[in-house]
Amino acid sequence: MDKISSSYFIARGTNKASSLFKRVRFMPLYSFPHHAEHSTKYEKNKNRFFIHLDIDAFFAQVEQRDNPKLRGKPVSVGGNGGMKGICMTASYEARACGVEIGMSVVEALQLCPDLISVPSYGTKYEAILQNIMYHIAKYVPDELIEQYSIDECFLEITGVVKDWFSAIKLAWEIKKMIWNIEHLTSSIGLSYNKSYAKVATKFDKPNGLAVIREENKDIVYKLPVDKLWGIGRRNTIRMNSLGIHTIGDLANSNIHTVHKEFGINGIMFRKIARGEDTSGIQLKKERLEKSFNHAHTLTDAIYTDSAINNEIKRMVEYVCRRMRAKNFIATQLGFFIRYDDLGSVGDSVKLKPPTNDERDLMFYCREIYKTFPPPTPSRKARQFGITTFDLHQVTGYNLDLFKKFQNLPYKEIDFLKEKWGERIIRVGLDAQ
Amino acid sequence: MTYYQNITFEKIEVIAHFKELDINIIRFRWKNTVYNVDKIANKWKIASGEDLTTHFSVICEKEGIIAELCFHHKDFKWELIQWDNL
């Protein structure tokens, strides 16, 4: 036996590890440094150290590591391993052929006929990631780690190291640790602010370590402007029209010009380009929910009444359980269906009284569904979506004299589901 | 080329060495063929409610297969989830 790794426990829905689990599953969608969190006192933020860690082609690398047959070959992960779906990630061999992340598998196969498309194995990647994060937390306190995406994180090591030498040493140790525990290569960018750390990661990919200090920030200035964090395709076109082609051009641009074109974001972009990003580690903030929604695209489209009922039931159960877990009731319900010709219909209704009872929601969903053109063998339903909004937080319930259903012990039902798994108990919604 | 895994979810017999919390698979029998495990490439655990499973990615070089085995802690049963030729 060569190496055992990833023997890290993923708990689903148990209280003990739920906070850790959230770190992986519910990542900040967009943690671009917001202007409100920027301190204008840049001088105070000069002597900081940030690490940006990116595991190279994470999913593809894991599959290549576990299956010798895939090593050295162009591999993409995503879809169902068939022609459907998109490339969630691609190995460097596939990227050399022009395969990009987000591309459909069909498109990728046209570019790279030898491409091996493997299905994604989410739980395995989560286990590996949690194992890595658990070990990183031994080097850096948990509150100084920002999980930016499934395979990327920022670490602020200002309080952990005293100079650049020890910062580089720590970065190497983290890289080495990831290799030792998981046999995965990673790229690290080290800099005095978050944005430059992210840019630095791309300098020496894969399996590299790049450092950008204030003294050598000229190397960043030579890069095209789209390499800067937050500047995408559309912003690049607008920047180019202003004569800004490199990060250096942006850094030396007139502040009024960029402000006029991009508003407050223009000032932000210019600050980031100049290396004056003063944002720190952003932790996930508890936010008040405004809506609960769930949409599901089926691999095989359906049209029979029973199959559609089952799909609605599954979604209603899921959304209601989430609402009950946070003590919310909804006043409005939205429901939509997308057909396999990509046409869609949707509608919303007011719930009377506001509820989080899955029987009520099932009833209203069925009522909305009756107004839709029914799916047929030639026009099947492919995607279903449900949204509850206009939410109110409740602490207790008033019994309703005229309610058509008896109250069910949902608290106990949810507890059983959490303890024994989803299928242990279900409300008989079909019987109505 | 599109890659299809052979997904089976079949019950199998396994000889494994349990030492403290560690499980070391030695060989397994599937469809009356014995496969000697040369290497455990990866191991991870998944919990759903109180049901805990440990997954192993194993390589049998002589038989020329790579397989994912799953051990159910609740009822001590083994399962072959998927396999592929090396």
Side-chain angles (χ1 to χ4, degrees):
Chain A
M1 192 173 66
D2 184 36
K3 186 85 193 163
I4 283 195
S5 59
S6 308
S7 51
Y8 197 74
F9 187 83
I10 293 188
R12 289 188 185 280
T14 54
N15 293 330
K16 274 183 187 171
S18 61
S19 60
L20 186 68
F21 186 58
K22 270 182 191 170
R23 288 187 63 85
V24 180
R25 291 290 291 204
F26 305 110
M27 300 161 285
L29 287 174
Y30 190 62
S31 65
F32 181 71
H34 191 264
H35 69 278
E37 297 192 8
H38 263 252
S39 162
T40 47
K41 291 167 186 163
Y42 166 62
E43 292 301 316
K44 278 187 182 175
N45 291 286
K46 253 183 166 177
N47 300 315
R48 297 170 84 181
F49 301 97
F50 285 92
I51 281 178
H52 176 251
L53 172 76
D54 184 5
I55 301 167
D56 306 319
F58 181 39
F59 301 164
Q61 203 189 157
V62 169
E63 294 303 334
Q64 285 182 320
R65 178 195 69 175
D66 291 350
N67 190 347
K69 200 178 155 185
L70 303 176
R71 285 177 203 157
K73 291 180 182 166
V75 176
S76 80
V77 179
N80 293 323
M83 297 295 276
K84 279 185 182 175
I86 58 155
C87 300
M88 289 159 72
T89 190
S91 66
Y92 283 92
E93 294 86 355
R95 288 182 201 197
C97 301
V99 177
E100 286 176 11
I101 294 162
M103 206 177 247
S104 74
V105 176
V106 179
E107 217 176 324
L109 280 167
Q110 282 167 359
L111 285 170
C112 179
D114 296 333
L115 183 76
I116 302 170
S117 166
V118 297
S120 157
Y121 201 154
T123 47
K124 180 158 80 171
Y125 309 141
E126 278 173 32
I128 292 166
L129 186 73
Q130 290 215 3
N131 194 26
I132 292 172
M133 295 311 292
Y134 171 76
H135 282 86
I136 287 176
K138 289 178 183 173
Y139 293 87
V140 183
D142 200 36
E143 59 271 19
L144 295 176
I145 303 172
E146 179 184 333
Q147 183 91 41
Y148 180 62
S149 73
I150 187 94
D151 64 338
E152 284 179 67
C153 69
F154 287 101
L155 317 172
E156 179 167 5
I157 53 168
T158 312
V160 183
V161 295
K162 53 183 179 185
D163 53 20
W164 283 102
F165 177 74
S166 47
I168 294 167
K169 202 176 152 202
L170 179 67
W172 270 116
E173 273 178 33
I174 291 172
K175 256 177 80 69
K176 209 170 128 191
M177 175 271 293
I178 295 171
W179 175 255
N180 285 340
I181 60 161
E182 288 292 351
H183 271 268
L184 295 174
T185 62
S186 56
S187 296
I188 285 184
L190 175 64
S191 189
Y192 59 99
N193 66 54
K194 266 171 83 177
S195 306
Y196 272 15
K198 190 160 167 58
V199 173
T201 316
K202 290 173 189 161
F203 271 120
D204 201 8
K205 256 178 173 279
N207 199 14
L209 169 65
V211 184
I212 298 175
R213 298 169 65 172
E214 197 156 21
E215 299 82 57
N216 69 345
K217 70 176 177 184
D218 292 349
I219 54 169
V220 180
Y221 278 20
K222 290 170 193 162
L223 295 174
V225 73
D226 62 343
K227 296 283 176 198
L228 202 66
W229 187 20
I231 298 183
R233 190 167 49 88
R234 284 181 177 276
N235 278 337
T236 308
I237 296 167
R238 287 166 73 187
M239 293 262 176
N240 291 347
S241 68
L242 292 175
I244 298 168
H245 297 279
T246 63
I247 294 176
D249 292 342
L250 179 60
N252 298 320
S253 63
N254 187 317
I255 192 165
H256 300 294
T257 315
V258 285
H259 185 217
K260 197 177 170 189
E261 179 66 25
F262 298 100
I264 189 75
N265 283 340
I267 297 171
M268 282 300 309
F269 291 146
R270 188 173 170 275
K271 268 174 93 95
I272 290 171
R274 292 165 74 89
E276 292 172 4
D277 172 12
T278 51
S279 61
I281 293 299
Q282 287 184 354
L283 292 175
K284 183 179 157 36
K285 289 170 192 158
E286 285 297 323
R287 62 193 169 90
L288 201 62
E289 305 286 349
K290 288 181 180 168
S291 67
F292 287 89
N293 49 51
H294 182 59
H296 187 227
T297 308
L298 302 165
T299 316
D300 300 310
I302 53 174
Y303 67 94
T304 58
D305 225 27
S306 62
I308 286 165
N309 249 348
N310 276 342
E311 194 52 37
I312 299 173
K313 183 177 159 187
R314 207 180 59 77
M315 286 197 310
V316 162
E317 275 181 2
Y318 180 72
V319 168
C320 286
R321 204 177 145 201
R322 277 172 60 202
M323 280 165 65
R324 286 195 296 267
K326 295 198 170 177
N327 291 326
F328 278 109
I329 51 172
T331 317
Q332 304 259 9
L333 166 76
F335 177 65
F336 79 87
I337 291 184
R338 190 181 293 274
Y339 298 92
D340 54 3
D341 60 0
L342 298 182
S344 65
V345 279
D347 202 357
S348 64
V349 288
K350 193 161 186 173
L351 301 171
K352 287 179 189 171
T355 182
N356 57 17
D357 191 320
E358 49 211 46
R359 293 168 301 175
D360 288 331
L361 258 63
M362 184 74 190
F363 170 78
Y364 283 109
C365 280
R366 290 288 309 165
E367 288 300 305
I368 297 174
Y369 174 67
K370 280 177 195 167
T371 64
F372 295 165
T376 56
S378 57
R379 195 178 188 233
K380 295 178 183 175
R382 189 176 171 182
Q383 189 184 34
F384 294 83
I386 176 172
T387 310
T388 55
F389 50 101
D390 199 359
L391 303 171
H392 302 277
Q393 196 131 31
V394 285
T395 46
Y397 291 94
N398 284 333
L399 290 174
D400 190 346
L401 272 178
F402 307 106
K403 202 171 179 184
K404 48 184 179 241
F405 306 125
Q406 279 189 332
N407 281 341
L408 283 180
Y410 277 120
K411 201 177 164 188
E412 286 71 23
I413 291 172
D414 292 346
F415 174 75
L416 282 173
K417 280 186 174 181
E418 194 171 289
K419 190 170 180 186
W420 298 101
E422 284 297 320
R423 288 164 184 270
I424 194 76
I425 188 166
R426 294 182 86 179
V427 178
L429 298 175
D430 295 332
Q432 294 146 32
Chain B
M1 184 173 75
T2 306
Y3 175 81
Y4 291 101
Q5 284 158 314
N6 305 296
I7 299 169
T8 58
F9 286 98
E10 285 179 55
K11 293 272 182 281
I12 50 166
E13 290 171 23
V14 177
I15 296 178
H17 183 217
F18 287 72
K19 191 182 177 188
E20 291 167 3
L21 293 173
D22 199 17
I23 306 169
N24 190 10
I25 301 170
I26 297 160
R27 63 181 71 95
F28 66 93
R29 185 180 8 209
W30 174 53
K31 287 184 178 169
N32 290 327
T33 309
V34 175
Y35 296 87
N36 290 297
V37 174
D38 295 303
K39 190 175 165 187
I40 298 178
N42 191 13
K43 180 177 114 173
W44 66 100
K45 291 183 181 179
I46 296 168
S48 173
E50 287 194 349
D51 189 14
L52 175 67
T53 52
T54 306
H55 294 245
F56 300 85
S57 183
V58 298
I59 295 169
C60 309
E61 279 168 8
K62 197 180 158 196
E63 292 80 10
I65 69 158
I66 177 164
E68 184 186 332
L69 311 185
C70 171
F71 175 63
H72 294 263
H73 290 249
K74 201 172 159 187
D75 47 11
F76 297 96
K77 282 188 178 152
W78 289 87
E79 209 173 19
L80 173 68
I81 291 187
Q82 56 182 342
W83 66 275
D84 197 11
N85 292 316
L86 270 176

